[in-house]
Amino acid sequence: MPGAEIYYEVRGSGRPLLLVNGGDGDAALFGPLAALLSETYTVITFDLRGNSRSRLTGPPEEQRIEGHGRDAHLLLSAVAGGEPAYVFGTSYGGMIGMDLLARHPDQVRALVAHEPFLIDLLPDADRWHAFFQEIYELYEREGLDAAFRKFGDAIGVDAPPEPAEGLPEPVRQMLARLRVNMGTCLRYELRSFVRFRPDVAALRAAPFTLVVGGEGPQTLLHRTAGVLAESVGTGIVEFPGGHVGFLTHAADFATALRGTLEG
């Protein structure tokens, strides 16, 4: 890609299905879900540019959803054989899917967005933008743990656990990558990503499903989903688990996603 080398994986056979991560994630987080879905689809997973194994070829700089949407477009152009893909995106990944759909609707058979982080749609967006600036400044001043703890408490999302002794080596390596990605998120992604606004008309015109986790209390991301649903004029579907239900409840999540795509 322009400015980066994108790491990606392809599993299975059938219609293409692109899985898009959110902040600090990488392709390995989708491993259990992708393995289950590969029985039905050609599943494509990748690390977002500047995260994990997708190396930037220039100096790091502020990232935008539109740049990642371009990456998704180029990746599908390279590996989907010209066939439109189902797209599932979680958190920021849902927003990347929205940008892809708006700019390249011919590449998207259907989009499922899971708890998209659409802060700029909220009536109190200015307060949240100021808060995310505080998080960045806290990160610069006191480091990752203090900043992510305050961030997670506010939005209802836990940080990934630290690598620990006794875990399988691939899991330890993944957790180490995610920890580095958390810093990338706070420094180069969070403040710009949360200013993304989707093309509502494009979402109305396309096969689009909005999903939230069905486990635990309502969170900030349930609020953003509600505002988007009202704008688009669609309902909201509950999937198993919380914000990372695709990992913690992979089997049930795969069943729900397959049913939504085929429906």
Side-chain angles (χ1 to χ4, degrees), residues 208-220:
F208 169 63
T209 304
L210 186 57
V211 174
V212 297
E215 183 180 81
Q218 298 289 299
T219 67
L220 175 64

Side-chain angles (χ1 to χ4, degrees), residues 5-47:
E5 295 175 352
I6 301 298
Y7 174 90
Y8 69 95
E9 300 174 354
V10 180
R11 298 173 173 84
S13 60
R15 286 178 171 174
L17 166 60
L18 180 68
L19 305 182
V20 190
N21 266 299
D24 76 46
D26 74 12
L29 277 181
F30 279 138
L33 179 66
L36 292 164
L37 292 171
S38 65
E39 300 171 2
T40 310
Y41 307 100
T42 298
V43 183
I44 306 159
T45 58
F46 68 108
D47 297 348

Side-chain angles (χ1 to χ4, degrees), residues 131 134-135 138 141 145-155:
F131 173 74
E134 291 176 10
I135 292 295
L138 180 61
R141 190 172 63 248
D145 292 330
F148 218 92
R149 184 163 53 249
K150 183 173 182 178
F151 171 77
D153 288 346
I155 70 170

Side-chain angles (χ1 to χ4, degrees), residues 145-194:
D145 292 330
F148 218 92
R149 184 163 53 249
K150 183 173 182 178
F151 171 77
D153 288 346
I155 70 170
V157 174
D158 294 330
E162 292 191 35
E165 296 295 333
L167 291 173
E169 186 58 26
V171 176
R172 285 173 50 82
Q173 292 177 4
M174 179 190 72
L175 293 176
R177 293 194 304 267
L178 298 191
R179 185 165 178 82
V180 175
N181 293 349
M182 288 161 60
T184 299
C185 173
L186 296 180
R187 178 170 285 165
Y188 299 114
E189 298 174 347
L190 174 62
R191 291 169 299 158
S192 54
F193 281 10
V194 294

